[in-house]
Amino acid sequence: MFCLTAASSNLIVSLESHVSTRGQKSVGDPPEAQRKKNPEVGSKRNPSRSCSSKMADILQNVMDHAVAVARKAGEVVRKALHDERKVMTKSSAVDLVTQTDQKVEQLIIQSVKEKFPEHRFIGEESVAAGEPCILTDDPTWIIDPIDGTTNFVHAFPFVAVSIGFSINKQVEVGVVYSCLEDKMFTARRGKGGFCNGEPVQVSDQTDVHQSIIATEFGSSRDPEAVDKIFCSLRNILTLPVHGVRGAGTAAINMCLVASGCVEAYYEIGMHVWDLAAASLLVTEAGGVLMDVKGGDADLMSRRIVAANNRTIAERIVKEIVPFSPTRDDAPPHNR
Ligand code: IPD
């Protein structure tokens, strides 16, 4: 349930007219179904409608737009998969970016700006180009145009478009489109997680020895960090667990947790745009998020444990050798 601050009430007022003039419908909801869910759809406006139901409408519009634009972005990614591409590097020689990442991020941002002109953005490639990476209380779209860029470069078949939407620093909508598998993962706070419209649920396993754990090596090649990553991996592998896997994209790894295919995913080094949307999928599917040292997860800290339950999360935490990469919201000159 929302805590309606003055900022979000203003947001409702400013968005309401915008949304209603465009006459948006919920994707997949025929008018009759919409009316059943919300008797005011298609009827005379009721001045006594509560703020929270207006907010719910706005979030549904956000969800519909995120799904539509993620699908469009996925099409561009699929088409570009086998094209010749210019691969550039960012923070390290293995932190890759292509023109497709940049083009898809622009496509998403332009499309959202047209419909929600007052919203803010945190986008992987915009931040790489010098935009700030600060999460405020304002409505904010958190975008990774291609999560799994290295996979994309090598045509390794797991690539996702990840779109999260936050208000008051809380993720309210999460859309992860695994575009080569054509799986659309969606979640709204308090309303469950879905894959292609079917509910997803985390595994009910509580025994870590019967588990598969997902992780990634990330894009740092700093020997000290690599040693810690390997030490954690060795600890977890030798618990023993049934297996360790990595899809090459944080967002898809987390959707695998949400879908009950792996019990947990942990990593140190990924970014807020890799996590934001999928974090909601995990919690809406019944899972938990934690910092790698235990305690609350912080999406800007570049550290995460996402698990099916607290028992597994706490067991994994005991084996992880923690370190602290520079936070996503650090001033640019410190990054
Ligand atoms: C990367 C992927 C990868 C993870 C890295 C991320 P990108 O995102 O999610 O699985 O290990 O830490 O940066 O660069 O492909 O968007």
Side-chain angles (χ1 to χ4, degrees), residues 16 38-41 43-50 53-54:
E16 213 193 357
N38 177 359
E40 287 176 29
V41 172
S43 72
K44 275 191 186 161
R45 230 175 148 272
N46 177 354
S48 67
R49 280 184 72 202
S50 68
S53 88
K54 288 176 195 169

Side-chain angles (χ1 to χ4, degrees), residues 95 124 144 146-150 216 218 248-250 267 269-271 274:
D95 184 9
E124 172 169 19
D144 189 344
I146 302 184
D147 188 38
T149 300
T150 305
E216 298 288 336
T249 112
E267 188 176 345
M270 71 295 117
H271 298 272
D274 303 313

Side-chain angles (χ1 to χ4, degrees), residues 90 94-97 101 124-125 143-152 158 160 215-220 246-253 265-271 273-275 302:
K90 297 190 289 187
V94 295
D95 184 9
L96 310 182
V97 60
D101 296 66
E124 172 169 19
E125 308 316 333
I143 299 162
D144 189 344
I146 302 184
D147 188 38
T149 300
T150 305
N151 287 356
F152 172 72
F158 297 97
T215 191
E216 298 288 336
F217 300 111
S219 55
S220 166
T249 112
I252 291 182
N253 286 328
Y265 157 71
Y266 74 92
E267 188 176 345
I268 302 177
M270 71 295 117
H271 298 272
W273 43 81
D274 303 313
L275 298 181
R302 303 183 59 198

